[in-house]
Amino acid sequence: MALKEKLQQDLNSAKKAHEDLKRVVLSSLLSAIHNKEIEKRTAQKVAEAAELTDEEIIKVIQSEIKKRKEAVELYEKGSRLELAKKEKDEMNILLQYVPEQISEEELRKVIKETIQETGAKEIKDMGKVISGVMAKVKGAASGSEVSRIVKEELTR
């Protein structure tokens, strides 16, 4: 089953079960996915509907998770713990739909392999390494984490 279909089914189940938070989160996620599809269709200059692949949907979900993380940090700094908890709850719902994140140790291993494969030696080779790693981990690690570790490994 495609990821978008699963999200739609889970939204319908949440409506029937009166799970308000899950319903709101999935509804806003599907809206964000729809907006990305419109953006994709506009970029391609085609009239028919442009469906997102599961990988593109995962990127949208990760973007939504990132927004929640940033909001949690801001709310905690502002001592708005009830709002921070709500954002964490929303983030936990979204995390169910992305691949399990790999550990930093496993990620370092993949990065070191990719550095050897690409022959990267300097910071200017960072782009090649990051694109290679992101293709291998396919959503199981955030881009910012990959970037940080690649930078560490290339400056050693």
Side-chain angles (χ1 to χ4, degrees), residues 57-131:
I57 291 173
I58 288 172
K59 286 180 184 176
V60 173
I61 297 170
Q62 288 174 327
S63 170
E64 293 296 314
I65 291 170
K66 184 178 178 184
K67 289 177 190 175
R68 300 313 192 282
K69 280 182 184 175
E70 292 168 355
V72 166
E73 290 172 14
L74 291 173
Y75 286 141
E76 287 177 345
K77 282 182 188 174
S79 299
R80 302 291 308 269
L81 300 180
E82 70 285 348
L83 293 174
K85 183 190 179 317
K86 179 180 176 280
E87 294 290 336
K88 284 179 187 174
D89 292 344
E90 289 181 8
M91 191 169 59
N92 288 333
I93 291 170
L94 293 170
L95 284 169
Q96 297 171 17
Y97 300 99
V98 292
E100 191 172 322
Q101 301 294 292
I102 63 174
S103 69
E104 185 172 331
E105 182 180 304
E106 292 176 56
L107 183 58
R108 281 189 186 279
K109 184 178 167 189
V110 171
I111 289 171
K112 287 176 182 176
E113 288 172 5
T114 308
I115 287 173
Q116 286 180 339
E117 290 169 7
T118 60
K121 302 266 187 256
E122 304 172 324
I123 288 290
K124 70 178 185 177
D125 301 323
M126 207 168 141
K128 285 193 291 188
V129 177
I130 291 174
S131 62

Side-chain angles (χ1 to χ4, degrees), residues 133-147:
V133 170
M134 294 306 280
K136 289 179 182 178
V137 297
K138 290 190 172 68
S142 71
S144 58
E145 186 178 18
V146 170
S147 177

